[in-house]
């Protein structure tokens, strides 16, 4: 039975099946790391977060007013008011470099205090200036004309949450606003899903030293997605040693050993990179035997890696292949509790997390690789986000009639525009070939055309993915 993944069942034309196949070929679980709080912006927390302290940590004023000791007011009335000869203005004290918390407030005193401010220890209530029990008319002495109960106008210590309360559920994206809550809870560091260290391997430019436009594009896309630990390295195609040695014996004048990599060096390269990088994206020629297709049975790779490429049934970007490195550290096992949608406990299960590099072969030209990045690699990098698919696909009405393919879904460059009614209109870009520039200048989405026999009429709803 397939493991239930957070993939909606209504994805266009059974894209669900492709994501299931991708998922089962990835390393198990999701790597985590513990980082300082100032490093977690836009990351996703990997476990429930529990408060390390009460909040508020002290009694706070509920509104701006006058803080006082309620005990001194218990006998106060209109006939026998409490006279207060000592009162202090918060701002005035600060501007005079007087610490309000060091004032002697044991005798009947009033302290003007801003809203949501820590109360001095000797004061336990706050009264608004408009309260009829407060008489400020006398310039020589303030009067309290009625008793003030303890904790009146006060937000009590620990009333928002207590130490040990869950303040943030697992799998929440960590925004700047959530960091406010985490700091209030005394959190200094957090367990997040590991921000992967990514390597892009340029395998197109066998006859020159500069990186291919495909690999540079992949790096640019990863930057827009927020990944910072990204490097590019060049690797020449694997050499056919038998043919090379024969040509070398014949002193063939066109022979140039700098165009290829020996098999030993090829294996050594991947052995080193799988130790140092979490994700390796290989930009290769379509159906190029010298890329990754012959490597999965080598001892440097997990022998459970897929032996053939996954047919995505998409045009372009038809194939994608995923390999796994060997364990870099022993797999970890964690027992987690299982609850149903109503919060009822259903049992427990053991979650295994593997520390292995993921090697993804991206074959084809710039257009193939662009499609693969947005359609599949983005999911692979974000599979730990439980609601990823809720924000991945949208529907819009096509502006032209489209002739679909009978067996494969077409992925077309498009431009979506939002209408006043909230619906999207999809403009299909006329020029779709990778050697043309219009798709890269104008496109802001990829339109998914289902495989079917009938022509798709203008105005039909189609799924699309936003890019950029």
């Amino acid at each position: 039975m397939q493991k239930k993944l957070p993939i909606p069942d209504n994805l266009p034309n059974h894209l669900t099946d492709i994501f299931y196949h991708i998922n089962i070929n990835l390393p198990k679980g999701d790597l985590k790391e513990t980082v300082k709080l100032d490093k977690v912006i836009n990351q996703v927390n990997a476990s429930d977060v529990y408060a390390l302290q009460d909040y508020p940590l002290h009694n706070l004023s509920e509104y701006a007013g006058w803080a006082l000791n309620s005990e001194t007011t218990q006998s106060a009335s209109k006939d026998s008011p409490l006279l207060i000869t000592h009162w202090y203005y918060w701002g005035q004290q600060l501007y005079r470099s007087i610490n309000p918390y060091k004032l002697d407030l044991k005798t009947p005193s009033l302290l003007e205090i801003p809203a949501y401010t820590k109360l001095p220890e000797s004061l336990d209530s706050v009264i608004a200036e408009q309260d009829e029990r407060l008489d400020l008319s006398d310039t020589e002495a303030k009067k309290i004309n009625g008793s003030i109960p303890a904790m009146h106008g006060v937000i009590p210590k620990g009333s928002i949450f207590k130490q040990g309360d869950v303040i943030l559920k697992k799998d929440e994206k960590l925004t700047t606003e959530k960091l406010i809550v985490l700091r209030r809870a005394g959190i200094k560091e957090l367990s997040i899903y590991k921000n992967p260290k990514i390597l892009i391997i340029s395998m197109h430019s066998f006859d020159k030293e500069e990186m291919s436009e495909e690999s540079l594009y992949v790096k640019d896309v990863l930057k827009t997605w927020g990944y910072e630990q990204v490097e590019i390295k060049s690797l020449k195609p694997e050499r056919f040693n038998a043919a090379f040695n024969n040509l070398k014996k014949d002193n063939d004048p066109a022979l140039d050993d700098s165009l290829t990599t020996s098999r030993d060096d090829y294996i050594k390269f991947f052995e080193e990179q799988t130790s140092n990088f979490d994700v390796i994206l290989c930009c290769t020629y379509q159906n190029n035997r010298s890329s990754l297709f012959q490597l999965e049975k080598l001892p440097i790779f997990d022998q459970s890696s897929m032996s053939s490429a996954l047919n995505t049934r998409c045009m372009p970007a038809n194939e994608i292949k995923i390999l796994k490195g060997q364990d870099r550290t022993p797999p970890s096992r964690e027992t987690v509790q299982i609850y149903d949608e109503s919060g009822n406990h259903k049992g427990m299960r053991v979650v295994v997390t593997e520390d292995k590099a993921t090697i993804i072969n991206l074959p084809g030209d710039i257009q193939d690789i662009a499609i693969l990045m947005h359609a599949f690699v983005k999911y692979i990098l974000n599979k730990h986000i439980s609601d990823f698919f809720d924000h991945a696909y949208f529907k819009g009405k096509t502006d032209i009639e489209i002739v679909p393919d009978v067996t494969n879904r077409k992925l077309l460059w498009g431009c979506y525009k939002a209408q006043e009614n909230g619906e999207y209109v999809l403009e299909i870009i006329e020029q779709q070939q990778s050697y043309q520039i219009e798709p890269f200048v104008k496109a802001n989405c990829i339109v998914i055309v289902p495989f079917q026999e009938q022509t798709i009429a203008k105005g039909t709803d189609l799924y699309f993915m936003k890019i950029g």
Side-chain angles (χ1 to χ4, degrees):
M1 184 173 120
Q2 286 182 318
K3 175 186 172 185
K4 178 63 178 172
L5 298 174
I7 299 173
D9 296 329
N10 61 346
L11 283 189
N13 284 93
H14 307 297
L15 269 174
T16 303
D17 295 339
I18 295 173
F19 288 111
Y20 272 109
H21 282 100
I22 287 175
N23 197 278
I24 63 177
N25 283 286
L26 297 173
K28 294 178 182 178
D30 300 294
L31 293 176
K32 305 172 181 67
E33 60 182 343
T34 300
V35 297
K36 298 294 184 183
L37 199 60
D38 60 353
K39 303 294 184 183
V40 304
I41 293 289
N42 292 328
Q43 303 304 314
V44 178
N45 63 307
S47 60
D48 291 346
V49 182
Y50 298 87
L52 298 181
Q53 61 190 28
D54 293 347
Y55 182 78
L57 196 56
H58 309 277
N59 292 334
L60 302 181
S61 54
E62 189 174 347
Y63 41 75
W66 292 88
L68 50 84
N69 185 327
S70 63
E71 187 177 352
T72 64
T73 71
Q74 296 311 300
S75 59
S77 66
K78 288 184 178 181
D79 296 330
S80 179
L82 173 68
L83 297 179
I84 297 178
T85 56
H86 296 90
W87 63 90
Y88 307 92
Y89 294 92
W90 184 273
Q92 186 182 80
Q93 300 306 311
L94 289 178
Y95 284 117
R96 296 170 59 202
S97 299
I98 299 295
N99 187 339
Y101 296 106
K102 293 185 177 181
L103 292 171
D104 183 3
L105 302 172
K106 293 178 182 178
T107 58
S109 305
L110 287 174
L111 173 65
E112 185 196 47
I113 193 167
Y116 315 130
T117 302
K118 172 186 170 183
L119 292 181
E121 289 186 7
S122 58
L123 307 184
D124 64 354
S125 294
V126 177
I127 186 171
E129 189 159 319
Q130 300 78 17
D131 195 302
E132 61 182 12
R133 291 169 294 184
L134 178 62
D135 182 358
L136 302 178
S137 59
D138 190 339
T139 58
E140 299 298 326
K142 312 301 180 185
K143 298 176 183 178
I144 302 293
N145 296 323
S147 64
I148 311 296
M151 303 305 289
H152 177 79
V154 173
I155 302 171
K157 173 183 182 295
S159 59
I160 306 301
F161 56 73
K162 301 283 188 184
Q163 180 179 349
D165 287 351
V166 175
I167 57 165
L168 198 64
K169 286 289 189 180
K170 178 183 177 183
D171 296 336
E172 291 276 353
K173 187 173 183 180
L174 296 160
T175 62
T176 51
E177 291 72 27
K178 288 188 175 70
L179 260 64
I180 294 173
V181 178
L182 293 172
R183 291 190 180 101
R184 289 177 175 179
I187 306 298
K188 304 295 184 184
E189 56 185 22
L190 211 59
S191 174
I192 62 170
Y193 292 105
K194 186 178 181 182
N195 200 9
K197 190 176 180 182
I198 303 173
L199 174 66
I200 303 161
I201 302 179
S202 175
M203 304 177 79
H204 283 79
S205 308
F206 68 90
D207 60 341
K208 51 191 176 183
E209 292 304 320
E210 62 262 27
M211 300 301 175
S212 66
E213 70 170 2
E214 289 82 2
S215 61
L216 293 172
Y217 168 79
V218 170
K219 184 176 183 179
D220 292 339
V221 170
L222 291 171
K223 282 184 180 179
T224 66
W225 292 349
Y227 296 98
E228 299 177 352
Q229 301 181 85
V230 180
E231 296 182 29
I232 300 183
K233 295 185 180 182
S234 177
L235 179 65
K236 302 299 176 64
E238 182 189 352
R239 182 180 303 154
F240 294 166
N241 283 331
F244 175 82
N245 291 332
N246 288 334
L247 292 170
K248 192 172 183 179
K249 288 178 183 178
D250 296 339
N251 293 318
D252 191 308
L255 191 66
D256 183 353
D257 62 1
S258 68
L259 299 179
T260 54
T261 304
S262 70
R263 186 165 181 78
D264 288 344
D265 289 341
Y266 206 73
I267 294 171
K268 182 180 178 181
F269 176 87
F270 278 101
E271 190 172 25
E272 291 176 352
Q273 308 317 318
T274 53
S275 297
N276 297 325
F277 291 90
D278 302 304
V279 177
I280 299 175
L281 302 173
C282 303
C283 300
T284 69
Y285 287 109
Q286 181 76 34
N287 298 324
N288 185 356
R289 180 184 180 278
S290 64
S291 60
L292 289 178
F293 292 105
Q294 307 303 311
L295 292 179
E296 64 271 5
K297 296 306 177 186
L298 294 175
I300 60 172
F301 292 108
D302 183 332
Q303 298 305 292
S304 68
S305 294
M306 60 196 301
S307 58
S308 60
L310 171 64
N311 187 334
T312 66
R313 296 189 71 182
C314 294
M315 300 169 55
N318 187 264
E319 294 183 345
I320 187 171
K321 186 168 187 179
I322 301 170
L323 302 177
K324 293 179 288 189
Q326 292 286 11
D327 287 313
R328 297 183 293 197
T329 58
S332 66
R333 288 171 170 80
E334 177 186 6
T335 301
V336 298
Q337 306 300 319
I338 305 173
Y339 300 88
D340 62 20
E341 294 179 356
S342 302
N344 300 314
H345 188 261
K346 294 181 62 179
M348 61 184 67
R349 63 185 175 92
V350 175
V351 175
V352 177
T353 300
E354 296 177 324
D355 181 13
K356 298 178 179 181
T358 301
I359 304 93
I360 305 170
N361 187 43
L362 304 176
D365 60 24
I366 187 70
Q367 179 162 270
D368 295 309
I369 290 176
I371 296 290
L372 287 171
M373 286 294 294
H374 288 285
F376 304 110
V377 173
K378 190 172 187 178
Y379 162 71
I380 292 171
L381 295 175
N382 291 278
K383 69 183 180 73
H384 59 278
I385 299 178
S386 58
D387 63 348
F388 172 79
F389 287 102
D390 294 345
H391 311 285
Y393 296 95
F394 303 84
K395 273 189 175 182
K397 297 184 183 298
T398 175
D399 69 335
I400 61 170
E401 185 179 89
I402 301 175
V403 178
D405 187 81
V406 177
T407 57
N408 292 295
R409 65 181 62 83
K410 288 183 177 180
L411 303 181
L412 302 177
W413 297 109
C415 183
Y416 71 86
K417 295 180 181 178
Q419 304 299 296
E420 290 184 359
N421 61 3
E423 294 183 346
Y424 292 106
V425 172
L426 301 174
E427 175 190 348
I428 305 300
I429 292 174
E430 183 177 353
Q431 298 177 346
Q432 291 284 328
Q433 300 302 318
S434 61
Y435 63 86
Q436 296 167 321
I437 65 170
E438 187 181 8
F440 309 116
V441 172
K442 195 172 181 181
N444 64 4
C445 71
I446 297 169
V447 180
I448 304 171
V449 181
F451 46 86
Q452 61 184 50
E453 295 182 356
Q454 297 83 10
T455 298
I456 295 173
K458 177 181 177 179
T460 300
D461 280 331
L462 294 178
Y463 281 95
F464 69 96
M465 297 175 288
K466 295 179 181 181
I467 62 175

